[in-house]
Amino acid sequence: MPTNDFNPSAGSNCAGDIKVIQEGTAGFWYKFYQGSKGRFQFGVQYSYLWKDAWSGSGGLAAGVTPIGPKAVDNMLFTSLRFYLP
């Protein structure tokens, strides 16, 4: 029997399809030296990612409300840059 490497849900009966995905991000750059020798600057960025998948209803008793899987990721990025003149 040939294998199907393209189907990501071949190993189970649930693909975990995404229903909602949202991301918010904010950041800034601060130039702490700018002169004849170049420029140094520092940057910070914060990102918040929220993902909600479809709940499905297979195997639940009647009257039970299915709750879908959720994921939250908080990310913080920093950067230090030097630009040549």
Side-chain angles (χ1 to χ4, degrees):
M1 175 190 232
T3 61
N4 182 0
D5 293 333
F6 182 72
N7 187 357
S9 64
S12 68
N13 59 359
C14 179
D17 295 328
I18 296 172
K19 180 169 82 172
V20 175
I21 190 164
Q22 296 177 344
E23 181 179 9
T25 186
F28 69 89
W29 284 99
Y30 174 67
K31 291 184 219 172
F32 57 89
Y33 174 78
Q34 184 169 0
S36 61
K37 297 185 191 235
R39 180 176 76 204
F40 267 110
Q41 62 187 47
F42 173 73
V44 175
Q45 178 182 343
Y46 171 76
S47 292
Y48 176 83
L49 180 74
W50 174 64
K51 181 174 91 169
D52 192 8
W54 291 101
S55 63
S57 60
L60 292 178
V64 176
T65 304
I67 298 172
K70 296 180 182 190
V72 173
D73 195 5
N74 293 288
M75 297 168 277
L76 183 66
F77 304 99
T78 60
S79 180
L80 180 65
R81 295 183 181 184
F82 174 70
Y83 293 91
L84 295 171

